[in-house]
Amino acid sequence: MPLLSLYINNKAGGLIYHRDFASHAAELDVNEHLRLASTFNGLALILKELSPAKRSSKMELLEADSFVLQSFDTLTGLKFFVTADPDSKKLDAVLREVYELYSDFVLKNPFYETDMPIHCERFDEKLIKLAEDYQRR
Amino acid sequence: MLVYTLHIFNRSGTCMYYREWSRPVPNSDLKSNNKLMFGFLFSLKQLVAKISPRKGGGFYACSTNVFKLNYFETPSGHRFILCTDLSAGDMREPLRHIYSHIFVECLVKNPLWRPNEEITNANFVQSIEKYITSL
């Protein structure tokens, strides 16, 4: 069960990181990815508004015939979301690992400015490794 | 399993039927809430079509930490939305049942039914009530 793509949004809802892991992930250009990520940000918030039950979070899981999307909001307002093949398990754990990698290799990078697009080589390497490990699980 | 609400929309986005079984958060403005729901589904469908790795795969559920929204769309553009708690499993089959055994039988085959109007058919309402409580 490979991961398809990972997106990270900043607290304003803008895309700051995107990476495809599988060759069959949807092929879109940069602008489309930017648009998709901010649309998802808005929709996740609307689902919270639509909730019939109290104390709802934003959208956490989206299930479709051809993929699943798992989302994770940090306390600081970042949104990590990943798409994967249907029936993928434990995607929330993957997102927590990604958050850990983000804290270690992006936030601790002295050249990184918060809320700006992420260009950190080590972070990329670790993510690719994480995706490979996940596929073997 | 706890069922919160059921919405049925037609293809133009009018809410034809709305019923709530339990709703801890009161529905203050039904009309604008229905509009928000339809707009949400409309945009989400477009997003899913874009992000999907292959063509022709719609979404069937999305959830937060307290509830799950189950979605079923017919080729005629009718949308069935069932909000449940998280203990609900795959609700695609029950929604399909509501469409094929209740909606079609009570309304589509009924010569007096007027499409695009709010559903008031007593038989339909009773059947829905009975089926949902049996879930």
Side-chain angles (χ1 to χ4, degrees), chain B residues 16 107 110-119:
Chain B
M16 297 166 70
L107 299 174
N110 182 345
L112 296 176
W113 175 55
R114 292 196 205 160
N116 303 330
E117 270 183 27
E118 208 177 317
I119 301 171

Side-chain angles (χ1 to χ4, degrees), chain B:
Chain B
M1 186 186 79
L2 185 63
V3 175
Y4 292 118
T5 56
L6 173 73
H7 289 81
I8 301 176
F9 290 99
N10 67 8
R11 57 192 287 181
S12 57
T14 324
C15 185
M16 297 166 70
Y17 184 73
Y18 174 72
R19 167 90 170 85
E20 58 187 47
W21 281 268
S22 103
R23 199 182 157 99
V25 178
N27 202 344
S28 48
D29 185 350
L30 190 64
K31 220 172 168 185
S32 69
N33 242 338
N34 286 346
K35 251 186 200 159
L36 186 64
M37 173 72 93
F38 187 80
F40 168 78
L41 297 167
F42 186 85
S43 312
L44 192 61
K45 192 181 162 188
Q46 285 184 330
L47 176 113
V48 166
K50 271 266 153 118
I51 216 168
S52 168
R54 59 181 162 80
K55 279 211 163 64
F59 69 101
Y60 58 89
C62 55
S63 44
T64 73
N65 62 345
V66 290
F67 89 108
K68 183 172 178 196
L69 181 150
N70 301 278
Y71 175 82
F72 174 67
E73 184 176 342
T74 69
S76 56
H78 289 98
R79 291 153 211 244
F80 294 74
I81 297 102
L82 189 68
C83 292
T84 61
D85 66 353
L86 292 176
S87 61
D90 192 344
M91 297 298 282
R92 278 179 284 184
E93 216 25 70
L95 282 173
R96 189 183 292 275
H97 178 96
I98 288 177
Y99 172 63
S100 61
H101 290 85
I102 304 178
F103 189 85
V104 171
E105 293 298 326
C106 299
L107 299 174
V108 179
K109 292 187 182 173
N110 182 345
L112 296 176
W113 175 55
R114 292 196 205 160
N116 303 330
E117 270 183 27
E118 208 177 317
I119 301 171
T120 46
N121 183 313
N123 193 7
F124 175 81
V125 175
Q126 274 169 12
S127 311
I128 288 276
E129 196 66 48
K130 210 169 130 195
Y131 183 67
I132 294 289
T133 40
S134 77
L135 281 176

Side-chain angles (χ1 to χ4, degrees), chain A residues 21-57:
Chain A
F21 297 111
S23 52
H24 64 291
E27 278 176 33
L28 302 168
D29 62 36
V30 182
N31 281 327
E32 280 180 309
H33 280 302
L34 284 169
R35 203 157 49 86
L36 278 182
S38 32
T39 313
F40 179 72
N41 221 62
L43 290 177
L45 193 62
I46 293 177
L47 189 65
K48 180 183 172 179
E49 295 293 309
L50 287 170
S51 168
K54 284 176 185 153
R55 284 186 291 279
S56 174
S57 67

Side-chain angles (χ1 to χ4, degrees), chain A:
Chain A
M1 295 291 171
L3 298 176
L4 293 171
S5 320
L6 169 80
Y7 298 81
I8 305 177
N9 280 358
N10 64 15
K11 57 175 175 285
L15 183 68
I16 55 170
Y17 189 80
H18 163 254
R19 176 163 289 276
D20 288 333
F21 297 111
S23 52
H24 64 291
E27 278 176 33
L28 302 168
D29 62 36
V30 182
N31 281 327
E32 280 180 309
H33 280 302
L34 284 169
R35 203 157 49 86
L36 278 182
S38 32
T39 313
F40 179 72
N41 221 62
L43 290 177
L45 193 62
I46 293 177
L47 189 65
K48 180 183 172 179
E49 295 293 309
L50 287 170
S51 168
K54 284 176 185 153
R55 284 186 291 279
S56 174
S57 67
K58 295 178 190 170
M59 192 194 301
E60 288 185 343
L61 182 67
L62 172 68
E63 293 162 89
D65 297 320
S66 50
F67 71 96
V68 287
L69 185 155
Q70 176 89 38
S71 165
F72 166 64
D73 292 282
T74 71
L75 289 172
T76 45
L78 291 170
K79 185 190 276 300
F80 290 77
F81 57 105
V82 69
T83 53
D85 280 350
D87 304 319
S88 299
K89 296 281 178 296
K90 303 220 170 103
L91 286 171
D92 48 340
V94 172
L95 286 174
R96 264 152 234 268
E97 282 174 54
V98 174
Y99 188 29
E100 229 169 81
L101 294 177
Y102 169 82
S103 321
D104 283 342
F105 298 98
V106 179
L107 282 186
K108 290 178 189 171
N109 182 336
F111 300 106
Y112 177 69
E113 280 177 66
T114 33
D115 286 346
M116 295 304 278
I118 300 171
H119 301 288
C120 299
E121 238 171 77
R122 286 294 293 281
F123 182 58
D124 293 343
E125 286 166 18
K126 295 280 175 187
L127 277 181
I128 292 168
K129 190 165 176 299
L130 176 72
E132 282 170 0
D133 288 347
Y134 180 79
Q135 199 169 344
R136 276 198 291 271
R137 268 177 218 174

